[in-house]
Amino acid sequence: EVISDLSFPSSTKLVGVTPGQIARLSNVDASQGLLAMFDKPSSLPADRKQIPIIAYLHQIKDLGNLGTIIRSAAGAELQSIITSPRSAHPWKPVVFRASAAANYMIPIYEQLEFQDALASLPSFWRVCFVQSSRKQDSDVVSLPYEKVDFRSKPTLVVLGNESFGIPGSFIETAKRCHDVVLTHIPIPENLESINVAMAASVVFFEAVSRVWDRDVTKAFI
């Protein structure tokens, strides 16, 4: 009765099922008793508010991390997300749950090689490599995240998985045609790395605070 009282598009078909059927259809141990099927979005509203930042995710294989990054990117109003080959699939159920359905709030382009992502960008875009660990395979000086000027140029933010980081070849390739900056989140010396999804969230919301010139903490008060 509660469900039937809600407003749905006219094309929505409601089907009643038993708890046993829900248990067989659901892929979680404690289902909330609702299942739904949706089409993947082919486009988003042209007037969607966004900042000129694109996230490139290199081999982010952990499903929960990927979903959290998508959720943070949508919350920070990034322009879009690009995933690399051998990254987790952004529409897997675990990823979708971790994103809290944020997949429907931001364009996601899947399985694109880094070189192809670079080729799609105008030369005035900056490429910002985010280090979530102490490993560094480049002679480029890494800046603390709060020192990166996200306001001056549109930026491709590149994140790699915690085990292997970002290939040094990516940095060298990007330097050929774009301004490049490395950034990191300062951590204690006895800590090897921080979770890549947490690093992404910190950088995304630092960027949005600079671009929109606002205090993002007020959104959570």
Side-chain angles (χ1 to χ4, degrees):
E1 294 180 359
V2 175
I3 295 297
S4 61
D5 289 340
L6 298 177
S7 176
F8 292 97
S10 59
S11 59
T12 303
K13 182 179 181 181
L14 299 178
V15 179
V17 295
T18 66
Q21 290 171 323
I22 283 281
R24 289 193 294 273
L25 292 169
S26 177
N27 60 359
V28 297
D29 293 332
S31 171
Q32 294 179 334
L34 292 173
L35 294 173
M37 294 180 64
F38 301 91
D39 291 328
K40 288 173 62 175
S42 57
S43 63
L44 292 171
D47 60 350
R48 181 182 72 90
K49 190 176 182 181
Q50 57 187 283
I51 61 174
I53 292 178
I54 296 172
Y56 182 85
L57 311 181
H58 176 64
Q59 295 189 13
I60 305 298
K61 300 179 180 180
D62 184 275
L63 304 180
N65 280 345
L66 179 55
T68 301
I69 293 172
I70 292 171
R71 187 175 185 178
S72 293
E77 299 170 320
L78 267 61
Q79 182 172 315
S80 61
I81 294 170
I82 301 171
T83 66
S84 77
R86 295 172 295 283
S87 284
H89 196 291
W91 292 93
K92 281 184 173 290
V94 174
V95 178
F96 193 73
R97 286 197 302 273
S99 79
N103 300 51
Y104 282 91
M105 298 173 59
I106 184 170
I108 302 173
Y109 304 99
E110 305 169 39
Q111 302 292 304
L112 197 63
E113 295 284 1
F114 179 69
Q115 293 83 349
D116 296 327
L118 276 185
S120 69
L121 298 177
S123 60
F124 60 82
W125 275 63
R126 177 196 292 118
V127 182
C128 175
F129 295 93
V130 179
Q131 299 171 286
S132 59
S133 71
R134 296 188 180 279
K135 299 174 183 177
Q136 180 172 328
D137 189 14
S138 172
D139 57 359
V140 179
V141 175
S142 179
L143 299 175
Y145 73 96
E146 71 273 13
K147 299 293 185 183
V148 178
D149 182 8
F150 288 102
R151 185 182 298 180
S152 62
K153 288 185 176 183
T155 303
L156 178 71
V157 174
V158 183
L159 295 125
N161 69 47
E162 295 155 37
S163 299
F164 303 104
I166 299 165
S169 60
F170 281 18
I171 299 172
E172 295 306 313
T173 299
K175 284 166 62 177
R176 296 185 192 128
C177 51
H178 295 274
D179 287 344
V180 168
V181 61
L182 265 63
T183 189
H184 65 277
I185 299 168
I187 56 177
E189 291 185 2
N190 60 346
L191 192 64
E192 177 64 25
S193 65
I194 61 173
N195 178 272
V196 65
M198 299 303 101
S201 299
V202 170
V203 172
F204 293 166
F205 282 95
E206 175 68 18
V208 74
S209 71
R210 299 297 184 87
V211 173
W212 294 142
D213 194 22
R214 74 188 190 200
D215 182 0
V216 296
T217 61
K218 293 180 179 178
F220 302 97
I221 298 175

